[in-house]
Amino acid sequence: MPQDAAQTIYLADYAPFTHTVEQVHLTFRLAPGATRVLSRISFAPTPNAPAGPFFLHGEQLNLISARIDGAPVTPEVTATGLTCPVPDGPFTWEAEVEISPETNTALEGLYMSRSMYCTQCEAEGFRKITFYPDRPDVMAPFTVRIESDLPVLLSNGNPTGNGDGWAEWTDPWPKPAYLFALVAGELVNHADRFTTASGRDVELNIWVRPGDEHKCAFGMDALKRSMQWDEEVYGREYDLDVFNIVAVDDFNMGAMENKGLNIFNSSAVLASPETSTDANFERIEGIIAHEYFHNWTGNRITCRDWFQLCLKEGLTVFRDQQFTGDMRSHAVKRIEDVLMLRGRQFREDNGPLAHPVRPESFVEINNFYTATVYEKGAEVIGMLKRLVGDDAYYQALDLYFDRHDGQACTIEDWLKVFEDTTGRDLSQFKRWYAQAGTPRVRVDEAWSPGPKGGTYTLHLRQTTPPTPGQPDKEPLVIPVAVGLLSPNGDEVVPTQVLEFTEVSQAFKFEGLASRPVPSILRGFSAPVILERQSSADERAFLLAHDTDPFNKWEAGRGLAKDVLSRTIAGKPAPTASFVDALHAMAADTRLDPAFRALALRLPAQDDMAQTLFDSGLTPDPLQIYSALRHLRETIAAQMGGLLADLYDEMAVPGPYRPDAEDSGRRSLRQAALSYLTLIDGGARARTQFAGADNMTEQLGALSCLLDIGAADTALADFRTQWQNDRLVMDKWFGLQVSLAPPDTAAVRANALTEDRDFDWKNPNRFRAVIGGLAMNPAGFHDPSGASYALVTDWLIRLDPVNPQTTARMSTAFETWKRYDADRQGMIRENLERLAATPGLSRDTTEMVSRILA
Ligand code: PHE
Ligand code: ZN
């Protein structure tokens, strides 16, 4: 049995809290092993709330004393909280508790990261700090006093006082406890200012450890651009005098939107040309924007309960995607987002962990910070915007901010602002929030010539496969963006959005001179799997002529998948037409280099495994690995001349800049190098590695050398150069595992776990090695089963230390049902071994039992 008998929480059981909180005062007397937290909280009965005992959450707290209206009380304390008789009217609660940040390795609540104090309260970490109604619908203004000799003492809101050994912060905006934050340490700041549209002067700081000052400029610039963008696009201004960001080395996730005090995993904010890749820069820009945007979508308007998580996350992801598109390229960003959606969310939605965008039950909420809630949640908003149009979308958002500012809301509130703005009935659309699984849309078409032009008919049919707990599915509202091309390549029907709402529906296009070639699901207008027979010729035609950049890319993708699937099945494959089309695309100088780089990237191994599984086959990871390798060699051999030219032409002169243009050129150059390395024995990669003055080119060269098994010297040099930079060393650890040849991956990962720098309690380092192995599909699924066992051993070891990260990493096994009986047998054995671990956390227990179910 797990330590605390796991309880399932249901959306249907929601009831408001018995009391409201008028004001919170907290005092922290910081000490590593024994921090005292004094709370003074004014409560008042919630009008019309269901009667019930007064209950405050609290876990792992040592209660020193408690008082109500000044009189000592003795509450009844359990492992999850306390109950206490309280007066009928308003009252003041005071408590003093002791906690131990030093021994808090779960990184939830108040903990220490290399001598710095910091907090993580989302979702339910505040209850490890003091007794409180730790639920998002209880919102209150906070005042915080921190007592410590450390030089920098931060909390939410505005600074309202400080002296020798103390500082006080006041946050006037009512907030739920999950947005509370505190930081104390020997930190230095990179400071700047921003003036809001209405003239408010805001002080901006990025706080880091001494030595990291030179890695703040880019994050600061991204922050200012985010602030300006939210004013221009959503009319949202910042609402405090200061905005602080802190970089923390030990952090379970990417970053956290605490009011006025965002806390970031250092990997999600620190950047310099020498230590960060172009991809790092782009990710950092997106995460800074995401956390900043939460100030309105999440903080000013928050979630009523954790089932509504997508209310803030789906919307904020959608907003950060829009932002990145505006900053860089919409076409490229859309392709990247779809790659990520298919790679992570489709994988989840098509396996044992599938759940609705708004789940209806959970055991541990930390297990629901998923690609479905975040990425599919964002897709749902994109569909809504497409259906109502841009103007109505922004009107509905204005209404949302107007109507719900200061509230804790639901998906119903969210959809209602769209209904009120547009007069539309969104009850069918709402199924996107309730129904799990990736819909399949089958397309059949008909052409009938006629005297006044012919009629082209698209027959669409939708089905959603069963998912855990949801055997039967209902039809969804699917916006299908379609354009038609004439056989000579002209666009005869520009993009229009078909509203596909029935199980089966026909859409007609009349008056056409000849049978058109359809471009369906332009811009990936809905998160579905399109099933349509398409010839290699037609794909090549769309690749050459489609005006929609997403579908142009998608056509090439489809061709690549055909080639790979057929090769794996031992059938003749359209390799020649694929290589021709790829050549034409790569050579087309009218196309953005970043786009060409994406086109040159072949489907990932895991993507191919899912594709094969979807078509009814049992994927063999080694076959996929070899087929990809073979195709890459073919491309290298046949396109060597062009690739060599691209490699030379795309060299970026001048100092490194992480903008879209330069990084696009570097990514096309890297794509070329990755093929060329297969035919030049690594000559170019070695030269590039030796001469690189930025991490993008250094790491790019290193990956190519690893890919051909010729990286020993480079790895050693890289380590010598970067041994004192933890973030760069994470790359060193991760890359060797994720790019190891299949039969050596487990051995390599195991060796790295014995390395002197393998600090397994640091989530970034653990993820680099153990997560890196899971990201090497052929290595992870090596028929010996060695990787399964190694990952399981480490999950068992990490679980008591950090359940949240352990549970998250257990998703390495979520695809196990795709594979053959031998592999399934070995995985089952390991999962059962994990499940049987005495004292296994609630987090991991829930995940493993869902994966095994
Ligand atoms: N709310 C954070 C975000 O989306 C993610 C997060 C969740 C971070 C839980 C920490 C813990 O930006
Ligand atoms: Zn978020």
Side-chain angles (χ1 to χ4, degrees), residues 832-851:
E832 284 171 350
R833 179 161 71 93
L834 178 56
T837 307
L840 194 71
S841 68
R842 179 177 57 198
D843 309 56
T844 308
T845 303
E846 180 186 26
M847 293 299 277
V848 178
S849 65
R850 285 166 64 207
I851 295 171

Side-chain angles (χ1 to χ4, degrees), residues 763-781:
N764 291 357
R765 192 62 47 95
F766 188 91
R767 267 191 292 263
V769 176
I770 305 302
L773 185 53
M775 272 160 32
N776 177 340
F780 182 61
H781 294 288

Side-chain angles (χ1 to χ4, degrees), residues 635-693:
I635 292 168
Q638 296 189 14
M639 289 172 49
L642 172 66
L643 293 165
D645 290 347
L646 283 176
Y647 182 74
D648 294 338
E649 284 161 21
M650 288 296 139
V652 184
Y656 175 91
R657 287 180 307 148
D659 61 8
E661 194 188 326
D662 282 7
S663 61
R665 293 174 62 97
R666 278 187 293 269
S667 80
L668 181 51
R669 189 165 195 249
Q670 175 65 25
L673 182 64
S674 72
Y675 288 108
L676 291 165
T677 304
L678 300 176
I679 50 177
D680 75 359
R684 286 180 185 81
R686 260 181 223 101
T687 310
Q688 177 173 315
F689 183 83
D693 66 354

